[in-house]
Amino acid sequence: MRASLESLQDMCLKAGHTLTLQRRAVLEVLAEARDHPDIETIYARATRIMPGIGKATVYRCVNRLVELGGLQQHNFHDGESPRYEVVPVEHHDHLVNMQTGEIIEFCEPAIERLQVEVAQRYGFRLVDHRLVLYVTPLQNAPDTQ
Amino acid sequence: MRASLESLQDMCLKAGHTLTLQRRAVLEVLAEARDHPDIETIYARATRIMPGIGKATVYRCVNRLVELGGLQQHNFHDGESPRYEVVPVEHHDHLVNMQTGEIIEFCEPAIERLQVEVAQRYGFRLVDHRLVLYVTPLQNAPDTQ
DNA sequence: ATAATTGCAAATTGTTTGCCCAGGG
DNA sequence: CCCTGGGCAAACAATTTGCAATTAT
């Protein structure tokens, strides 16, 4: 479950932003994405809804959403451009299938609890975290680089 | 515990690389760093050991080390340049003090075990993972390291 | 109306590459 | 000596910004 298109629009309006056609297009793309797209992909999809939209506009819109806290930036792959995901209502972490690039969401409460514990052990309060598991399918017996 | 300067030098020699003065400087910087420096920092430190070293040389050397598997790249902060760390002998994860930027290493075997379990639950084999905890001091900042 | 926003192109930033010379094994 | 590798500057790629024209409220 992720934030709806309406809640993203609300967020923009509350921040005093105008709901232009291009902004609507980007928000729609983001709200419907199930695959953690990068800017290039978001741009391509937004172009289908709003032909002629500029890439700079997409960058600006995405960055604003991130600042507003409605969008999360991920760095799943070193050296590649960041991926984006509308902040989910219920938290989850990610599993990256290195064979296909597919990204799977999961949540393991036991891990979440342990993270809080570790932070406390060092005298801190856990504010946020990133956990990404890089995996390969079990049936294949791929390399062990 | 991390790989020693000597083991890094060995790694380069075995790969057929020359141990030039500038390479020695970068390796020394990396072997001695305790703070996950970025390229700019590595460059600055290497300059003190080997004045006149070019930034391109630092990039080349660092990238080669990463390819050889002797150096790890981290993306602790979205939008900032990557940080580097000599591959540690024993695995650990990281805790980022958001107040100071300090990076603390930790290892929680229970979390490690659960990660393998989660991967299997989805039909995968865990190849690698990234876990970063973003934290703030509870009250008074205790010492670590 | 009027303040925000767009598209474009130019500017930045971070990183890589081509080239020709220098130094390590 | 040969070949890797260094410095420099130009090339690149990704992202940001300035600006005049445009659009939402």
Side-chain angles (χ1 to χ4, degrees):
Chain A
M1 174 71 88
R2 46 222 346 131
S4 64
L5 175 57
E6 291 72 37
S7 69
L8 285 178
Q9 293 177 339
D10 265 12
M11 185 175 280
C12 285
L13 288 175
K14 284 213 190 86
H17 294 150
T18 307
L19 277 191
T20 61
L21 288 176
Q22 20 286 81
R23 184 116 60 193
R24 282 174 193 280
V26 172
L27 293 188
E28 189 183 324
V29 166
L30 291 174
E32 286 180 356
R34 293 284 102 100
D35 59 347
H36 311 76
D38 60 11
I39 285 277
E40 211 58 41
T41 307
I42 296 167
Y43 171 60
R45 291 179 190 167
T47 298
R48 289 208 288 275
I49 301 174
M50 170 71 209
I53 188 174
K55 199 177 283 186
T57 302
V58 176
Y59 270 103
R60 278 187 282 235
C61 181
V62 162
N63 288 344
R64 247 160 235 189
L65 253 317
V66 170
E67 281 158 25
L68 291 180
L71 194 63
Q72 223 171 355
Q73 198 185 56
H74 295 289
N75 281 290
F76 295 134
H77 309 280
D78 289 341
E80 292 182 21
S81 2
R83 310 291 214 87
Y84 295 90
E85 166 185 32
V86 171
V87 170
V89 174
E90 28 182 282
H91 165 77
H92 61 245
D93 290 305
H94 300 88
L95 213 140
V96 178
N97 181 342
M98 297 173 76
Q99 215 110 110
T100 64
E102 184 195 14
I103 290 164
I104 299 164
E105 303 172 351
F106 75 90
C107 188
E108 177 52 59
I111 293 182
E112 306 286 323
R113 247 178 280 119
L114 284 163
Q115 290 175 354
V116 175
E117 223 176 284
V118 169
Q120 285 177 344
R121 188 184 311 152
Y122 283 84
F124 294 100
R125 185 174 65 86
L126 185 64
V127 173
D128 194 10
H129 74 269
R130 292 293 161 89
L131 172 59
V132 184
L133 306 184
Y134 297 90
V135 302
T136 50
L138 268 182
Q139 46 272 48
N140 305 353
D143 56 342
T144 325
Q145 61 169 22
Chain B
M1 179 58 107
R2 51 232 328 143
S4 64
L5 176 56
E6 291 73 37
S7 69
L8 286 178
Q9 294 177 338
D10 265 12
M11 185 175 281
C12 285
L13 289 174
K14 283 212 189 88
H17 293 149
T18 307
L19 279 191
T20 61
L21 287 176
Q22 17 291 81
R23 182 114 62 194
R24 281 173 193 281
V26 172
L27 293 188
E28 189 183 324
V29 167
L30 292 173
E32 286 180 358
R34 292 286 103 101
D35 59 346
H36 311 76
D38 61 10
I39 286 277
E40 212 58 40
T41 307
I42 297 167
Y43 172 60
R45 291 179 189 169
T47 298
R48 288 208 290 274
I49 302 175
M50 170 73 209
I53 188 174
K55 198 177 283 186
T57 302
V58 176
Y59 270 104
R60 277 188 281 236
C61 182
V62 162
N63 288 342
R64 247 159 234 188
L65 252 318
V66 171
E67 282 159 25
L68 292 180
L71 195 63
Q72 223 170 355
Q73 198 185 56
H74 295 289
N75 280 292
F76 295 133
H77 308 281
D78 289 340
E80 292 183 20
S81 359
R83 310 292 213 86
Y84 295 90
E85 167 186 30
V86 172
V87 169
V89 175
E90 26 182 285
H91 165 76
H92 61 246
D93 290 305
H94 300 88
L95 213 140
V96 179
N97 182 340
M98 295 173 76
Q99 215 109 112
T100 64
E102 183 196 17
I103 289 164
I104 299 164
E105 304 172 351
F106 75 90
C107 188
E108 179 50 61
I111 291 182
E112 306 284 325
R113 246 177 282 118
L114 283 164
Q115 290 175 356
V116 175
E117 222 176 284
V118 169
Q120 285 177 344
R121 188 184 311 150
Y122 283 85
F124 294 100
R125 184 175 66 87
L126 185 65
V127 173
D128 194 10
H129 74 269
R130 293 291 161 86
L131 172 60
V132 184
L133 306 184
Y134 298 90
V135 301
T136 50
L138 267 182
Q139 40 225 326
N140 298 330
D143 70 320
T144 340
Q145 167 183 346

